Amino acid sequence: NLNTVLVGGPDFAVEILSPHDHAREKLPFYGKIKTRECLYIDRELECVELYRLNGDQMKLLAQLTVEKGLTCESQVLNLTFQMVAEGNQTLLVVQSLADSSQSWRVDLLT
């Protein structure tokens, strides 16, 4: 903070991918400005990817799909992410690590 502008990148960024999107090409930029984590939501492929800063590069920490059934944790937000299927919906379940009673279910296809 230079009193007139903020310097540096965000601690956490979210990219919602569109068909033929080139958002992953931004990963070197996010690394350069020291963004600590990036969450990429791919609605077409029904997957979520969490990238974490390692040195000056963004490294894939986890690729979440319903089929894989994995859970990953954001160190920045103190949250976990998991993909689940409920009926004909694919949901991203976001759970607070600080308070297990707080969780959110996000329908990725609407």
Side-chain angles (χ1 to χ4, degrees), residues 14-54:
V14 177
E15 293 272 357
I16 300 174
L17 306 180
S18 301
H20 313 293
D21 199 313
H22 299 282
R24 286 183 184 87
E25 294 174 9
K26 295 180 193 175
L27 285 169
F29 169 75
Y30 282 128
K32 182 178 178 181
I33 63 171
K34 304 297 184 201
T35 301
R36 293 172 49 200
E37 290 179 341
C38 292
L39 187 74
Y40 279 58
I41 300 173
D42 191 325
R43 296 171 58 181
E44 185 176 355
L45 297 178
E46 297 185 19
C47 76
V48 172
E49 298 170 342
L50 182 63
Y51 292 84
R52 185 168 291 147
L53 185 63
N54 184 355

Side-chain angles (χ1 to χ4, degrees), residues 64-84:
L64 307 176
T65 63
V66 169
E67 294 78 21
K68 290 181 181 179
L70 300 173
T71 300
C72 69
E73 182 178 315
S74 166
Q75 293 177 344
V76 174
L77 299 179
N78 206 26
L79 299 172
T80 63
F81 302 98
Q82 181 181 27
M83 299 288 294
V84 298

